Amino acid sequence: MGSYFTGELHHQLREDVRGFAEREVRPRVAAMEATRTVQHELSRLIARQGWIGATVAREYGGMGVGHLAKTIIIEELSRVSGAMGAMVQASQLGVAKIVHFGNDEQKKTWLPAVAAGECLPTIAVTEPESGGHVLGMAASAVRDGDDYLLSGRKVYVGNSHVGDLHGVVVRTAPGSKGLTAFLVESERPGFSLGAERATMGLHGFSFGELRFDNCRVPAANRLGAEGDGLAVAYSSSVLYGRANLTAVSLGIHQALLEETTRFCEERQRYGKPLHALANIKLKLGQMQSRLMTARLAAYHAVSLLDQGASCDAELMNAKLVNVESALDSARSAMEIHAAAGLFTDRPIERFLRDAHHIFAPAGTSDVQLLRLAEVALGTAKGSWSERLAEFVRTDPTHSDPTRAERPGPSDAECQIAVPRQLRTAVM
């Protein structure tokens, strides 16, 4: 495990993304909050850094650095802007379906464009009537010669209004074997977008509605075979969605602690810094503990994913722990700030609003708990991380070009490396 946590690549990547976020994203946050409009230009600028291609193999022009590196990218962007962290996580979630189920031609066509930042992918599963119940979807595709005609609506689609290539799961036959996935370009006739709607948080990010009215899509755009749609949806959610949303929560959590600590150092009470009060110090300690525990859960899960190990349960738990602990720390931060936290000249209320947006996607906390109960009872069905291990495993010699020229870490280094990296990460 040590090699996944201690690579110089991860340290340098964190510095690079943090520097970019401070220079390019933070100065735009106030305008994003004021206008609440989708950030097309900034989304494209971030995509051109190549970070959407974190898990895209180098043979397709991607970074090939794996899921821990992907987590660091999302985390550092989310530390400055949950909206832009969400934009990157949604795009990287859109990558999953092509990596897992795309044929050679589809990978050669789309992955280099994604890696270069020329194409922002999405995945569209949820519908107005069925919600998170995938098998209840009604949007359909009917075969018409060498094409399919898609009809229906998809809602809460991450990057709906900036996406170029939508991975759409629709019904082609009854039952659980009747779902099929397609790649739909945004310029296709019969495709349209619902109106942008104001949201509580994540201002600048779009998660809206896609509409299909006899939208003609070539059979060559089908992902896998007819009937593979359920696998496309579930595998993408489990292996990418939960990990990505975990990273957004982690970045927001880090920002909450940093801002609250700063406030406690600056604000004076009875001639001393606010943190001199015992009850305030206890809350800060609790926030620090939550963050450290959340980061351990997140990094452990994705490091297992990078190794091709079975980790569906760890990914569920990472999302659960990170979402719930970030929300708990957001409340603690608001309590410490008291009335000062209610004004928009401080970012605490933004962090609180943004954190709530991460609760539902890829399964609410109740969903994660139900699945984890099945793990405890031994009734869990299958393991996507095992089934798709060859597609998610990251070769460290490929992800870090210098590693092949250096001797690997010793057993002792591997044993002490993880806590050292995690201590560095919370600074």
Side-chain angles (χ1 to χ4, degrees):
M1 185 183 295
S3 63
Y4 288 91
F5 277 89
T6 62
E8 294 166 9
L9 174 143
H10 294 133
H11 290 290
Q12 186 60 53
L13 182 62
R14 184 183 298 279
E15 291 181 11
D16 291 346
V17 180
R18 180 170 291 200
F20 174 92
E22 293 291 347
R23 291 190 313 273
E24 302 292 343
V25 180
R26 192 177 293 282
R28 293 173 163 91
V29 169
M32 290 162 62
E33 287 298 301
T35 62
R36 298 190 174 198
T37 55
V38 177
Q39 294 294 301
H40 294 271
E41 180 182 340
L42 182 55
S43 297
R44 298 291 171 181
L45 176 62
I46 293 172
R48 288 196 294 272
Q49 308 310 304
W51 296 325
I52 308 300
T55 60
V56 174
R58 296 167 72 87
E59 65 183 290
Y60 297 113
M63 296 175 69
V65 290
H67 293 266
L68 176 55
K70 177 188 63 162
T71 295
I72 291 171
I73 292 168
I74 300 171
E75 174 192 349
E76 287 299 326
L77 288 168
S78 300
R79 172 183 165 271
V80 172
S81 167
M84 290 301 98
M87 186 282 294
V88 170
Q89 80 80 19
S91 294
Q92 291 175 336
L93 172 58
V95 168
K97 61 189 181 295
I98 306 175
V99 171
H100 296 166
F101 289 90
N103 58 36
D104 288 343
E105 188 60 32
Q106 289 166 341
K107 290 180 178 180
K108 290 176 182 177
T109 299
W110 294 112
L111 291 182
V114 169
E118 298 166 357
C119 171
L120 288 176
T122 77
I123 189 162
V125 178
T126 306
E127 296 186 4
E129 301 301 324
S130 58
H133 178 46
V134 176
L135 292 178
M137 70 172 59
S140 63
V142 178
R143 188 69 184 249
D144 184 32
D146 292 333
D147 301 325
Y148 286 84
L149 296 176
L150 274 61
S151 296
R153 300 163 60 200
K154 296 291 180 180
V155 294
Y156 310 135
V157 178
N159 281 347
S160 54
H161 287 64
V162 298
D164 304 296
L165 183 69
H166 304 287
V168 186
V169 180
V170 292
R171 186 163 292 286
T172 50
S176 61
K177 302 294 186 182
L179 302 181
T180 305
F182 297 89
L183 296 172
V184 183
E185 300 94 330
S186 58
E187 69 272 12
R188 286 203 170 272
F191 170 82
S192 62
L193 294 167
E196 292 184 27
R197 297 174 60 191
T199 59
M200 179 175 74
L202 295 185
H203 299 149
F205 173 60
S206 62
F207 55 107
E209 181 179 346
L210 311 184
R211 298 172 178 172
F212 305 89
D213 183 9
N214 285 324
C215 179
R216 187 172 292 275
V217 178
N221 281 29
R222 188 183 66 210
L223 279 169
E226 282 197 15
D228 282 346
L230 191 63
V232 172
Y234 280 175
S235 66
S236 298
S237 176
V238 172
L239 301 184
Y240 275 70
R242 287 170 180 162
N244 292 3
L245 292 160
T246 292
V248 177
S249 288
L250 186 56
I252 294 171
H253 202 163
Q254 179 71 48
L256 277 163
L257 180 62
E258 290 177 3
E259 183 63 28
T260 304
T261 301
R262 187 180 303 114
F263 178 78
C264 290
E265 291 172 342
E266 296 171 355
R267 186 59 60 99
Q268 296 288 309
R269 281 293 181 270
Y270 314 116
K272 296 180 180 180
L274 187 60
H275 61 70
L277 296 174
N279 64 321
I280 299 297
K281 205 164 191 176
L282 285 171
K283 287 185 183 294
L284 285 175
Q286 191 173 45
M287 291 175 67
Q288 175 71 49
S289 176
R290 288 193 196 111
L291 178 61
M292 294 174 71
T293 302
R295 180 169 277 111
L296 277 166
Y299 287 9
H300 175 59
V302 291
S303 69
L304 290 175
L305 195 59
D306 277 337
Q307 294 174 59
S310 178
C311 59
D312 288 31
E314 284 80 1
L315 292 165
M316 296 172 201
N317 188 58
K319 203 242 175 185
L320 172 70
V321 169
N322 273 267
V323 167
E324 292 296 331
S325 62
L327 288 170
D328 286 343
S329 285
R331 178 172 178 174
S332 295
M334 289 295 290
E335 290 173 351
I336 290 172
H337 280 75
L342 302 176
F343 292 90
T344 57
D345 61 332
R346 293 185 177 275
I348 292 299
E349 58 87 30
R350 168 166 63 92
F351 299 152
L352 176 65
R353 290 184 284 106
D354 289 353
H356 277 282
H357 277 257
I358 314 304
F359 178 79
T364 65
S365 293
D366 280 353
V367 170
Q368 311 306 331
L369 288 170
L370 287 170
R371 299 289 85 80
L372 287 168
E374 291 170 357
V375 172
L377 293 167
T379 59
K381 299 177 181 178
S383 170
W384 289 109
S385 48
E386 287 183 7
R387 177 174 170 181
L388 298 175
E390 64 178 299
F391 298 111
V392 296
R393 183 184 296 110
T394 301
D395 183 343
T397 63
H398 290 170
S399 63
D400 184 351
T402 65
R403 182 170 171 77
E405 303 167 7
R406 305 194 312 269
S410 67
D411 290 342
E413 288 173 327
C414 287
Q415 290 171 6
I416 65 173
V418 175
R420 180 176 66 83
Q421 165 65 8
L422 292 173
R423 286 199 299 270
T424 302
V426 298
M427 297 301 290

